[in-house]
Amino acid sequence: MRLRSDLIGLQTIVYREYKRIMRIWMQTLLPPSITMALYFVIFGNLIGKRIGQMNGYDYMQFIAPGLIMMSVITNSYGNVVSSFFGAKFGKHIEEMLVSPLPNSFIIIGHVAGGLMRGLLVGFVVTIIALFFTKLDVQHVWVTLTTVFLTSIVFSLAGFINAVYARNFDDIAIIPTFVLAPLTYLGGVFYSINLLPEFWQAVSKANPIVYMVSAFRYGILGEGLKQDIPISWAYVIIIGFIVLLFTLSLYLMKTGRGIRE
Amino acid sequence: MASDDLTKILISMAQQSDGPGMILMTHSVVVSSAHALLESPFSIVKPRIGPGKANNPMKALSISGLQKTYANGVQALMGIDLEVEEGDFFALLGPNGAGKTTVIGIVTSLVNKTAGQVKVFEYDIDEDLDGAKACIGVVPQEINFNQFEKVSNVVLNQAGYYGIPRTLARERTEKYLRQLQLWDKRQELSRNLSGGMKRRLMIARALVHEPRLLILDEPTAGVDIEIRRSMWDFIKRINAQGTTIILTTHYLEEAESLCRNVAIIDEGKIVVNDQMNRVLRELQFETFIFNLCEEIKQVPVLDGFVVRQLDEQSIEIEIGPEQNLNQIFEKLSALGLTACSMRNKTNRLEELFMKLVDSKNNHDGAEQ
Ligand SMILES: Nc1ncnc2c1ncn2[C@@H]1O[C@H](COP(=O)(O)OP(=O)(O)OP(=O)(O)O)[C@@H](O)[C@H]1O
Ligand SMILES: [Mg+2]
């Protein structure tokens, strides 16, 4: 009985998030599409031609999966952090907190919002990429599962950021000082094989490296010299999901940053 | 509900609560209890349920030993005990910062308690929080809906969080938005509503899952008198249909005329908790303002009464438990003065409040 009503609650959050993304599409969908189109033009087309091959692929082909993944990551994160912090700031988070909807469903609902925006932007960026290069997806399941799971990871991360955040600066700091460097150094624009051994080892502590390279493997296929074994990528991604979800639940339960 | 049913209910409620209009009649039959209130305003804490109520009806809310210390060290609640019976119309009163909103916050799980126990109907919030939450509808003191959401969506979403299927949610949304005269505004962005409309929107939102306990934290703050009256009627009707109501307000005449039971909280402690009419009856002193037909040069001396002059044609007189108005009239006549008209200085609850605050201030002063 309660499960049924909890599912209605979940559905309500998901639908509300969907409407939010669509209502403010000028903030949610348009900017990442423009940014990514510029990346393709500048890095892929203009500079890429001079770079030549990367890991045996045209530079444009090489960075396309990286750029798709990058937009999925930033948009999943960005959606949850701004929606949930917005709810905290505007106090309408209280609407959910006073209701009998379990914390896990509140988290899942917001993660679903992050997924929607992340995947939607990822899709748009893929379409844009197709104007510049051709992408024959080699391993459909690897491609879909890695992008899906990665989106969940960063939706959860955005959720946690929002829980801790006390003002608008707090929701800008992590994306700027943590997320952006990790993404840029996460093998979006280059293969970590190019790095000296020491920096390769350091890079392997960056979880985004695994996600990007698993996704790139899914699209470009066997021909790609693997930076990282694919099974490792899954272990790490799923490990992060479990870790971050548990932390989110814990934070909601204790009311950190949410209840007085 | 048919409108004449409603009238009957309203009349019966008016009869139950002896409002300001009945002061004259009740005052002369007040039985003195030795100035208890003035000497120790905190002494009227007593069990609210009189001997008349033999069997124990279900409690909509029972709170015991509730304490709250905020992270900044503010001790907002210092051990509160409170019981509200099912079906009651209960006033939770107290000056700014007394702890009313904190109590409500804890009951609705927006604030974590430091110590104590809270039960909402049969659900202990430590054991079955979701069960407790499902019983409560809350109208918070501060606006807390998404200002960028449409009016109807504010209510619809809330219904969703409570697990109400979409079709039923739509029906209820229409029902309550109509009842609160917001149906015409349903497509409006909620931030475009006026202040009073926003309050009403929060009432509609709180009712959409038809809670057994409705908690209203200053619902009439900043609402004009006409809307306030229609809100009172509306809330009375909800109460008559069986919903338990807890109301906080700073409009004391509102509490006086609406509520059957009252608790007054001050600095995190309950200082009064009783039936409204008993609380009012125990007020020993009342102040009346007399407008005289003649101009007076000096304060008239009325034996045994404290008289203060307000202006050349009006005086205020305090009457105690052993005194009555006839004595005043006689003494005025003897001085050749005529009382053209007369009124209560404040309503009685307000006097109680003032006395509580005064005695507190005196006490504080003595300590320094
Ligand atoms: N979030 C908070 N953090 C720290 N202290 C708080 C917080 N909320 C309330 N307080 C303090 O707790 C005390 C009780 O506040 P509360 O809001 O419960 O009073 P109230 O009776 O609702 O007052 P009002 O009539 O003004 O609404 C006050 O001293 C207040 O400053
Ligand atoms: Mg308050």
Side-chain angles (χ1 to χ4, degrees):
Chain A
M1 207 39 226
R2 268 195 193 172
L3 181 64
R4 203 173 142 251
S5 54
D6 291 347
L7 284 173
I8 292 173
L10 176 62
Q11 205 183 338
T12 307
I13 296 182
V14 174
Y15 185 60
R16 190 200 68 198
E17 287 299 293
Y18 167 76
K19 297 258 281 214
R20 177 180 168 278
I21 294 165
M22 291 306 171
R23 185 178 64 227
I24 52 171
W25 63 274
M26 296 258 281
Q27 295 166 48
T28 53
L29 303 180
L30 193 59
S33 310
I34 292 174
T35 316
M36 286 304 147
L38 290 172
Y39 273 121
F40 280 117
V41 172
I42 295 164
F43 288 105
N45 220 15
L46 301 177
I47 299 176
K49 283 202 180 109
R50 311 214 162 191
I51 293 177
Q53 299 237 308
M54 179 79 65
N55 266 11
Y57 288 88
D58 280 350
Y59 189 61
M60 180 65 104
Q61 257 185 326
F62 179 85
I63 63 165
L67 289 175
I68 295 169
M69 204 54 150
M70 183 163 133
S71 45
V72 170
I73 288 172
T74 46
N75 285 283
S76 303
Y77 192 96
N79 199 67
V80 184
V81 83
S82 54
S83 166
F84 199 68
F85 181 73
K88 244 174 80 170
F89 188 79
K91 283 176 163 281
H92 47 279
I93 188 178
E94 293 179 2
E95 294 179 337
M96 289 177 277
L97 296 181
V98 300
S99 82
L101 191 59
N103 292 332
S104 54
F105 281 63
I106 296 179
I107 299 167
I108 294 169
H110 286 85
V111 167
L115 262 172
M116 275 189 289
R117 160 121 162 246
L119 296 185
L120 213 56
V121 171
F123 180 73
V124 173
V125 173
T126 308
I127 304 285
I128 295 171
L130 290 176
F131 285 101
F132 296 91
T133 181
K134 80 179 186 350
L135 296 170
D136 291 326
V137 178
Q138 300 297 314
H139 305 283
V140 178
W141 282 110
V142 174
T143 308
L144 292 181
T145 50
T146 48
V147 73
F148 188 83
L149 294 172
T150 303
S151 178
I152 293 179
V153 170
F154 288 94
S155 300
L156 285 167
F159 187 87
I160 291 164
N161 188 176
V163 168
Y164 277 105
R166 256 173 274 139
N167 50 47
F168 280 98
D169 288 340
D170 290 346
I171 67 168
I173 283 171
I174 304 287
T176 316
F177 292 104
V178 180
L179 198 57
L182 285 182
T183 317
Y184 281 83
L185 299 173
V188 171
F189 296 101
Y190 57 86
S191 160
I192 63 165
N193 291 333
L194 299 181
L195 298 173
E197 211 142 302
F198 173 74
W199 291 110
Q200 273 192 39
V202 171
S203 293
K204 284 185 180 168
N206 176 1
I208 293 180
V209 166
Y210 299 82
M211 301 167 189
V212 169
S213 79
F215 183 68
R216 182 175 285 132
Y217 165 81
I219 291 185
L220 300 182
E222 305 290 356
L224 181 69
K225 267 191 256 139
Q226 272 297 293
D227 296 334
I228 267 100
I230 188 79
S231 52
W232 257 110
Y234 278 108
V235 169
I236 284 168
I237 296 175
I238 291 170
F240 265 100
I241 292 178
V242 173
L243 188 78
L244 296 177
F245 186 73
T246 314
L247 179 58
S248 306
L249 262 183
Y250 172 77
L251 292 172
M252 285 294 282
K253 188 162 186 294
T254 53
R256 174 74 174 74
I258 293 170
R259 294 191 181 94
E260 297 292 347
Chain B
M1 188 191 298
S3 65
D4 48 353
D5 282 355
L6 179 60
T7 327
K8 267 184 231 153
I9 290 163
L10 293 186
I11 290 172
S12 74
M13 290 188 84
Q15 283 166 346
Q16 276 171 28
S17 70
D18 51 351
M22 302 162 104
I23 286 172
L24 283 179
M25 284 184 291
T26 54
H27 187 83
S28 54
V29 294
V30 161
V31 183
S32 154
S33 58
H35 301 198
L37 180 66
L38 268 190
E39 276 158 29
S40 165
F42 301 147
S43 68
I44 53 176
V45 180
K46 60 174 72 157
R48 203 170 42 69
I49 300 148
K53 291 183 178 161
N55 52 355
N56 251 351
M58 162 84 85
K59 300 279 182 292
L61 180 64
S62 43
I63 291 177
S64 62
L66 191 62
Q67 293 182 24
K68 172 67 190 178
T69 308
Y70 281 105
N72 60 2
V74 173
Q75 227 184 322
L77 302 179
M78 334 232 204
I80 292 232
D81 301 300
L82 200 64
E83 287 195 334
V84 179
E85 268 165 35
E86 181 163 25
D88 202 354
F89 203 134
F90 192 93
L92 183 61
L93 307 178
N96 286 140
K100 304 177 296 292
T101 302
T102 304
V103 171
I104 293 171
I106 292 171
V107 171
T108 55
S109 87
L110 293 176
V111 175
N112 289 333
K113 61 184 162 62
T114 309
Q117 222 196 0
V118 177
K119 245 177 105 178
V120 181
F121 294 97
E122 59 268 41
Y123 308 101
D124 189 312
I125 62 165
D126 292 320
E127 283 154 24
D128 191 351
L129 182 58
D130 291 343
K133 282 170 166 181
C135 300
I136 306 175
V138 61
V139 178
Q141 181 170 4
E142 283 170 43
I143 308 292
N144 75 341
F145 47 75
N146 186 347
Q147 307 259 340
F148 299 98
E149 200 76 81
K150 276 195 307 188
V151 166
S152 58
N153 285 344
V154 168
V155 184
L156 268 175
N157 284 344
Q158 190 72 358
Y161 303 148
Y162 281 90
I164 296 165
R166 203 74 174 172
T167 24
L168 182 58
R170 280 186 206 289
E171 284 170 23
R172 297 237 185 114
T173 301
E174 175 167 354
K175 174 177 161 193
Y176 289 109
L177 284 181
R178 277 191 194 284
Q179 288 187 2
L180 287 149
Q181 292 133 55
L182 286 171
W183 183 240
D184 294 340
K185 300 275 178 190
R186 64 188 178 279
Q187 299 291 353
E188 207 56 71
L189 278 190
S190 56
R191 68 169 172 167
N192 294 342
L193 295 182
S194 76
M197 290 173 186
K198 285 178 179 165
R199 299 241 151 240
R200 279 181 280 151
L201 174 56
M202 296 201 292
I203 298 181
R205 186 186 63 181
L207 286 169
V208 74
H209 64 289
E210 309 204 322
R212 294 159 74 189
L213 170 63
L214 178 65
I215 303 178
L216 302 134
D217 198 351
E218 297 189 32
T220 50
V223 173
D224 76 43
I225 185 65
E226 194 186 335
I227 300 287
R228 207 185 307 162
R229 279 182 197 285
S230 78
M231 259 159 79
W232 293 347
D233 287 345
F234 180 74
I235 297 168
K236 277 186 193 168
R237 205 158 63 212
I238 299 283
N239 177 246
Q241 288 163 0
T243 308
T244 311
I245 295 187
I246 298 176
L247 173 78
T248 84
T249 179
H250 290 290
Y251 299 109
L252 298 176
E253 76 279 9
E254 175 171 305
E256 188 170 330
S257 70
L258 288 172
C259 300
R260 283 188 285 277
N261 289 293
V262 57
I264 299 180
I265 173 172
D266 188 29
E267 297 187 333
K269 293 193 212 79
I270 303 267
V271 292
V272 173
N273 184 4
D274 206 338
Q275 291 170 15
M276 182 67 81
N277 50 21
R278 278 228 288 265
V279 170
L280 296 175
R281 213 177 298 139
E282 290 199 34
L283 267 173
Q284 304 291 313
F285 285 82
E286 268 186 275
T287 308
F288 288 90
I289 293 176
F290 292 82
N291 294 312
L292 305 174
C293 304
E294 300 83 13
E295 284 193 16
I296 47 168
K297 300 274 174 314
Q298 67 205 41
V299 187
V301 180
L302 305 186
D303 226 14
F305 288 94
V306 183
V307 183
R308 277 178 296 269
Q309 184 168 357
L310 300 175
D311 55 47
E312 60 272 16
Q313 273 193 306
S314 50
I315 49 174
E316 64 174 49
I317 304 179
E318 204 174 78
I319 42 180
E322 307 290 342
Q323 300 169 315
N324 63 51
L325 285 165
N326 280 6
Q327 295 169 338
I328 295 178
F329 290 127
E330 279 165 19
K331 287 176 204 283
L332 284 175
S333 306
L335 292 172
L337 295 169
T338 325
C340 278
S341 65
M342 152 194 117
R343 63 186 165 86
N344 268 80
K345 187 181 181 189
T346 49
N347 76 48
R348 292 178 297 166
L349 210 47
E350 223 160 278
E351 278 187 47
L352 173 61
F353 246 72
M354 294 320 296
K355 290 200 166 106
L356 287 173
V357 172
D358 278 353
S359 79
K360 192 171 77 195
N361 290 346
N362 292 340
H363 189 66
D364 290 351
E367 272 175 356
Q368 280 159 10

